[in-house]
Amino acid sequence: MKRLGIVSLVLIISLLPPAVKAQKYYATNITPDKRAPLSTIYLMPNVYPAVVMEGDTIACMWLGDFIKYSPLTFRSTKDQIAYLKLVRDVKKTLPYAKEIARIITETYEYMETLPDDKARQEHLNKMEKYLKDAYTPKMKKLTKSQGQLLMKLVDRETNSSSYHIIDAFMGSFKAWSYNLFAGMFGNSLKVRYNPYGEDRITERVCVLVEQGVV
């Protein structure tokens, strides 16, 4: 099969719910001075709370950090094509990585509410089966390089390798078995993300994608 890189990804996606949502801006909750009337301002496509002060309507919102990079200089056309391919792959895989990070947190919190290990294991088994069926077709559309990138971006969003995630949720034996199987196709679930070293260009692209620049 041409895209065997999906094998290890399906194991991670088994923790996903049936939806992948794009990151959006949001309005912040505020506690205005009680003497100032609270209003609402519509700046399409977003809606923000606002305070009317002396006849002026002032929108209240959080502005995220903005990182400015120097322009890249490519040594060859080949390098430029590789960079454009990386941009394409990050745009495709970063939303999955962010969703995985969110679901890992939610899954962990939900598992804590279950009464015993048996109930937790039953929940994981049902979730794994359903989501493998739902997401395998989507993961098959990823190339091997996109699959490897996704595993690194999962580490970026969770600060944990795919191996450690599977180990935490499904046990050491499954983590070892899955990593052995992934290794047969040139992948490793233990791969780590290094934004200050070999993955610094990937980190640059991730930040630019998050800022909507590319």
Side-chain angles (χ1 to χ4, degrees):
M1 187 169 62
K2 183 177 180 181
R3 299 185 176 96
L4 293 174
I6 66 166
V7 173
S8 54
L9 299 180
V10 171
L11 307 178
I12 305 169
I13 297 301
S14 64
L15 300 176
L16 283 170
V20 176
K21 300 178 180 178
Q23 189 178 28
K24 296 181 181 295
Y25 294 105
Y26 58 89
T28 180
N29 294 323
I30 61 170
T31 305
D33 191 316
K34 293 182 179 179
R35 295 171 297 177
L38 179 64
S39 182
T40 301
I41 187 170
Y42 296 88
L43 300 177
M44 299 304 291
N46 302 307
V47 180
Y48 299 99
V51 175
V52 178
M53 300 181 64
E54 298 180 356
D56 292 329
T57 302
I58 303 174
C60 303
M61 64 190 78
W62 289 110
L63 297 178
D65 295 335
F66 183 84
I67 300 176
K68 177 67 174 177
Y69 291 101
S70 300
L72 284 177
T73 301
F74 300 101
R75 293 176 295 181
S76 65
T77 302
K78 182 179 178 181
D79 288 345
Q80 185 175 13
I81 292 174
Y83 178 77
L84 294 176
K85 180 178 178 293
L86 178 61
V87 172
R88 180 201 66 189
D89 291 347
V90 168
K91 285 183 175 182
K92 188 168 186 178
T93 57
L94 186 58
Y96 283 102
K98 289 183 177 295
E99 187 68 4
I100 290 171
R102 183 181 71 82
I103 295 310
I104 287 173
T105 301
E106 292 181 357
T107 300
Y108 175 78
E109 292 175 351
Y110 178 75
M111 297 283 283
E112 289 293 298
T113 67
L114 297 177
D116 51 42
D117 290 340
K118 182 179 179 181
R120 296 186 187 98
Q121 189 60 49
E122 288 178 352
H123 174 72
L124 280 178
N125 290 341
K126 291 179 181 178
M127 192 178 216
E128 182 179 6
K129 182 181 184 305
Y130 172 77
L131 293 172
K132 277 184 179 179
D133 292 341
Y135 277 85
T136 295
K138 295 180 180 181
M139 294 298 100
K140 284 183 177 179
K141 295 180 181 180
L142 297 179
T143 65
K144 181 178 178 179
S145 60
Q146 289 171 345
Q148 292 171 334
L149 176 61
L150 177 55
M151 285 188 288
K152 283 203 169 189
L153 295 185
V154 167
D155 188 351
R156 178 183 187 262
E157 298 300 320
T158 65
N159 197 31
S160 296
S161 68
S162 302
Y163 183 92
H164 291 144
I165 293 170
I166 296 172
D167 186 12
F169 281 92
M170 307 177 72
S172 299
F173 179 74
K174 279 195 174 182
W176 177 81
S177 300
Y178 291 160
N179 190 50
L180 183 64
F181 188 68
M184 296 172 61
F185 308 109
N187 286 330
S188 173
L189 301 182
K190 293 184 178 181
V191 65
R192 299 306 306 269
Y193 184 74
N194 183 5
Y196 305 108
E198 61 179 348
D199 299 311
R200 62 186 183 278
I201 299 299
T202 301
E203 177 65 17
R204 173 193 176 108
V205 174
C206 287
V207 171
L208 294 178
V209 169
E210 290 170 337
Q211 293 179 167
V213 177
V214 297

